Amino acid sequence: SSTYEAEPLDFTGKDATVEYIGTIIPRSWSVSDIKRCWLPDQGLSSLAPELFDAFDLNYTKLTNAEKFTKKFIREGLGVTKEAKVENLLRAVEELGAYEKRTYHPAVGTVFDENTFTFRLGKGMSIKAFDLCVGEMRGVGESVSVVARCDYAYGMRGLRAGGKVLVPPYATVQYDVTLVDIE
């Protein structure tokens, strides 16, 4: 017997209604993820990406205070200005803060559960929604999507009423069901 798997339909420009649950999940960034999601926001020279490759600076190494030190930043990455060194250390501390539960919502926190309608492919939602709904095969389909920060809420995270709902650079998971498409 054979199995038939339907191709995704082209919903671009149509209004999609989804039900979803959004959860903060642990971050396990590779060197490539660090270079793409976090490093551009730090204002380092064009040499820095190659150095992150050379030192294999993934998330675990980057947020290890014993390894990612002022000395390493100066000697390994070649950052000489003290203000830049301090800013980089602060940015790394912020990056690791939510998993240490210092002031952000903890890993595992459900930050949103809702029904949402948006026009597909028009930038009216986070990239993760556009991409996952664009690949769905029809109403009623459900998917679970892990979204790195550049596909979700980026360097600013998500806030409402002064409260941090999603920390900066957070990785999130959405459980999404396509409810309607018009």
Side-chain angles (χ1 to χ4, degrees), residues 97-131:
Y98 86 92
E99 288 181 8
K100 295 174 186 156
R101 297 178 182 204
T102 56
Y103 64 91
H104 289 309
V107 168
T109 299
V110 171
F111 63 87
D112 196 7
E113 186 171 353
N114 212 337
T115 300
F116 174 59
T117 300
F118 65 100
R119 180 141 307 144
L120 195 61
K122 301 297 181 185
M124 296 175 67
S125 70
I126 61 170
K127 284 184 194 179
F129 274 22
D130 260 346
L131 291 172

Side-chain angles (χ1 to χ4, degrees), residues 3-177:
T3 303
Y4 173 75
E5 190 169 316
E7 290 294 317
L9 301 173
D10 184 8
F11 297 138
T12 304
K14 294 186 178 182
D15 290 335
T17 300
V18 295
E19 289 179 350
Y20 65 89
I21 299 172
T23 308
I24 298 168
I25 64 170
R27 180 187 293 135
S28 61
W29 286 356
S30 67
V31 175
S32 176
D33 293 334
I34 293 288
K35 290 180 353 185
R36 181 160 179 184
C37 298
W38 181 80
L39 193 57
D41 296 332
Q42 307 317 312
L44 296 177
S45 71
S46 60
L47 181 59
E50 288 76 22
L51 292 172
F52 273 62
D53 281 330
F55 289 110
D56 192 30
L57 284 173
N58 61 18
Y59 178 78
T60 302
K61 290 179 182 175
L62 185 66
T63 56
N64 181 334
E66 293 176 10
K67 295 188 185 279
F68 200 82
T69 62
K70 285 184 180 184
K71 181 178 180 183
F72 175 78
I73 294 169
R74 287 187 192 106
E75 295 175 10
L77 297 180
V79 177
T80 56
K81 294 185 178 178
E82 188 61 27
K84 187 71 97 175
V85 171
E86 292 296 329
N87 286 343
L88 193 53
L89 282 174
R90 218 174 354 273
V92 167
E93 184 177 303
E94 171 77 14
L95 188 63
Y98 86 92
E99 288 181 8
K100 295 174 186 156
R101 297 178 182 204
T102 56
Y103 64 91
H104 289 309
V107 168
T109 299
V110 171
F111 63 87
D112 196 7
E113 186 171 353
N114 212 337
T115 300
F116 174 59
T117 300
F118 65 100
R119 180 141 307 144
L120 195 61
K122 301 297 181 185
M124 296 175 67
S125 70
I126 61 170
K127 284 184 194 179
F129 274 22
D130 260 346
L131 291 172
C132 80
V133 174
E135 289 295 314
M136 291 178 136
R137 289 163 176 77
V139 171
E141 183 173 4
S142 295
V143 297
S144 187
V145 178
V146 172
R148 203 173 57 187
C149 68
D150 54 333
Y151 288 87
Y153 301 102
M155 70 182 279
R156 288 186 171 76
L158 177 65
R159 299 172 191 271
K163 181 181 176 190
V164 176
L165 300 177
V166 177
Y169 299 105
T171 300
V172 297
Q173 176 177 319
Y174 283 102
D175 296 314
V176 181
T177 300

